[in-house]
Structure formats: structure tokens, C-alpha cells
Amino acid sequence: MSDRPASLAIVTGASSGIGFELAKRCAENGFDLLIAADEPEIHAAADELRTLGVKVEAVEADLASMEGVEELYAATRKRRVDALLANAGRGLGKGFLDQDFAEARRVVDTNITGTLYLIQKVGRDMRARGSGRILITGSIAGFIPGTYQAVYNATKAFLDSFSFALRHEIRDHGVTVTCLMPGATETEFFERADMLDTKVGQAKKDDPAEVARIGFEAMMRGDGDVVSGWKNKLQSAIASVTPAAVLAEQHKRMAKPGSGER
Ligand code: NAP
């Protein structure tokens, strides 16, 4: 048996949904795991992931805060991180002027600030070592102005763009950056974003396990980006040639509060 320790993956937002499924994929492929989320449920997720036969450490930390990110980074204890799956994120429905500003800011701080801070810390180590894989969960929402979900879609536009740019900054240093761009997926996301009364909240959605499989495989191949599912591929291709005003109006029909009531 080799004495070499198993590869280590960090997966954020691994307590549920796409992040839990990404962590599962990593474990099934032999990665030990360092997983994080903000609520105690992360420990139950860790227990379940341990049944797959890998070492799993869970950190309960608010990744919207610098301290939370530092706590997660400290938990690596200077071990080599082979893969960083920066997936934690949250949405927020309703009109921007009607949103609680603290909640809107939390979306920005989680999806953008905390994600960037963690990627910079872990990414510097990867570049110094000359190897590593980074997966960022963006979204096809990043291609579409998100009427009634304006802040969220804008954070995903940021991440989609950032991901491509970072990839081209560090590709010659042996580090790959992949952006996973899911469409609407069956997770706790819409309930947590208070969007269950919307058309998109009630629509049939993609399977998070399938979305994670597609993202994990793209990361392992070192692809630049992957849109999960053919319908989403079509939607993103159409979005790229559709005026922003038309997209914003279409999004309104999907995300307006009450639009899902029969
Ligand atoms: P989810 O089931 O609600 O999972 C979100 C995960 O992120 C949870 O583990 C949650 O943990 C964690 N998280 C949220 N805020 C956090 C914070 N401040 N600190 C630490 N952890 C935090 O939703 P999901 O759909 O799987 O979302 C995962 C990612 O996919 C997000 O980035 C989302 O934007 C993206 N995405 C989702 C969809 C979709 O339709 N579902 C589509 C495209 C992209 P706690 O419960 O502990 O907060």
C-alpha cells in the first residue's frame, strides 16, 4: 500500500443540494474531504459521506465572513489541497427595493466576497505548488438579468466572468479553473430564497446528482466551463444572442412573486 495520503478536496456548501452531491462524487473518486457550511447540518452530511470510506472533516462556518473563510482555511492545517469546489451560495427573491438590505448583502458576501477570499488563499498555494483544480459553481443565471432576483443573478454573472479570467491567469501554473453553470436544480435553494410562489420555484428542475456529476467530470478534465443539461445549453446559447431587455422581461415572468400561483 502507498504511504502517499489521499488527495484532498474542499467542498463548500456541502450540507445539501449540489454541494453535497459534489462532495459525494469527490468521495467516490477517492478524495478525502474538508467540507463546510453555515449550519450544524454539515455534520450529518459528513457522517453520510464517511460511509463512502474516505476521511471527512466538517467545518461549521459562515463563509460570508472573512473569519469564517479563515476558519475553513486554517482547517486545512497546511495540507495539500488538490481540489477546491467553491460552491456555497444563496439566492434571494422579490423586488430589490422590497428586499431586506442585510439579506441582499449576505447574498453578495457569500456568493462573491467569501468565495473570492477562499479561492485566493487556496489558489496561491496551488500556484506555488504548480498543481490543483478549482471548480466554481456559477450559473446560467449569470447570462440573464434577474428581474425579481436581481442581486443573485448579478453575483452569478460576476462569478462566471471571474472564473474565465482567473483560469487564463493561472493556466500556465498547472492550476485549472472550471465554472459549473447549472440551470434550475431541485435543491433547497428556491425555498431558502423565498421563491416557492414563483413560476421557476414551482417548475420541474434538474437532478442535483446529475448536475454534480457533470461539474465534477468537467473539473477533472480541466474544462473551462460546463452548462449542465441540453435544455440549459440551449437556453444559454439563446441568451447570448438575445437583447438584455428581452431576457429581463422573460425572467420577470418566471420569478415575479405570485407568478407560480394557479
Ligand atoms: P442549497 O441546497 O440551498 O445549498 C446551498 C449550500 O450553501 C448549503 O450547504 C448552505 O449551507 C451553503 N451556504 C449558503 N450560505 C452559506 C454561508 N454564508 N456560509 C456557508 N455556507 C453557506 O442550494 P444549491 O442549489 O445546492 O446551491 C449550491 C450552489 O449552486 C449555489 O452557489 C447556487 O447559487 C448554485 N446554483 C443553484 C441552482 C439551483 O437552481 N438550485 C442553479 C444554478 C446555480 P447552510 O444551510 O449551512 O447555509
Side-chain angles (χ1 to χ4, degrees):
M1 232 173 84
S2 153
D3 288 340
R4 194 171 187 272
S7 296
L8 177 67
I10 296 180
V11 186
T12 69
S15 59
S16 63
I18 298 168
F20 178 73
E21 297 295 339
L22 283 170
K24 227 163 138 181
R25 281 276 139 191
C26 289
E28 285 164 358
N29 285 275
F31 283 89
D32 284 341
L33 290 168
L34 176 56
I35 58 172
D38 191 25
E39 304 284 338
E41 281 74 15
I42 194 65
H43 300 293
D47 287 342
E48 203 175 328
L49 291 163
R50 276 185 203 110
T51 64
L52 298 169
V54 296
K55 289 186 193 147
V56 184
E57 200 175 326
V59 173
E60 192 183 321
D62 179 5
L63 300 177
S65 73
M66 307 302 267
E67 299 74 27
V69 173
E70 281 158 9
E71 192 183 331
L72 172 57
Y73 182 69
T76 65
R77 299 191 300 278
K78 300 198 180 348
R79 280 172 295 177
R80 190 189 73 234
V81 177
D82 299 281
L84 168 62
L85 293 85
N87 163 84
R90 53 202 312 123
L92 186 63
K94 310 248 179 308
F96 174 64
L97 299 184
D98 301 318
Q99 289 174 346
D100 177 71
F101 190 75
E103 282 188 53
R105 179 176 173 178
R106 192 161 169 72
V107 173
V108 176
D109 288 346
T110 304
N111 299 7
I112 299 181
T113 314
T115 300
L116 261 52
Y117 191 37
L118 181 64
I119 290 173
Q120 192 182 65
K121 284 183 163 301
V122 177
R124 282 177 175 165
D125 297 338
M126 289 178 168
R127 182 181 62 180
R129 208 177 59 227
S131 70
R133 303 173 192 281
I134 298 172
L135 180 77
I136 299 173
T137 306
S139 173
I140 64 166
F143 302 132
I144 303 165
T147 313
Y148 291 112
Q149 207 184 6
V151 174
Y152 173 75
N153 282 37
T155 66
K156 291 293 162 171
F158 184 110
L159 285 182
D160 293 354
S161 164
F162 170 79
S163 177
F164 278 107
L166 180 66
R167 174 180 176 81
H168 286 265
E169 287 181 16
I170 62 179
R171 65 193 302 177
D172 296 338
H173 296 273
V175 184
T176 59
V177 182
T178 303
C179 190
L180 167 62
M181 300 174 181
T185 305
E186 202 56 68
T187 67
E188 295 171 17
F189 176 89
F190 289 94
E191 186 179 352
R192 298 171 58 144
D194 197 11
M195 292 182 70
L196 289 183
D197 65 339
T198 65
K199 226 176 218 163
V200 62
Q202 292 190 4
K204 186 172 165 5
K205 301 182 192 60
D206 296 337
D207 172 11
E210 180 60 7
V211 171
R213 180 190 67 76
I214 290 167
F216 178 81
E217 289 175 2
M219 177 188 80
M220 294 309 284
R221 284 192 304 269
D223 292 350
D225 65 304
V226 63
V227 174
S228 50
W230 69 269
K231 277 190 195 156
N232 300 320
K233 281 188 173 52
L234 186 67
Q235 199 184 339
S236 59
I238 292 170
S240 68
V241 292
T242 305
V246 175
L247 294 171
E249 195 57 31
Q250 283 172 355
H251 199 280
K252 183 177 180 177
R253 288 199 284 276
M254 294 302 292
K256 189 170 182 182
S259 59
E261 284 162 9
R262 291 156 218 276

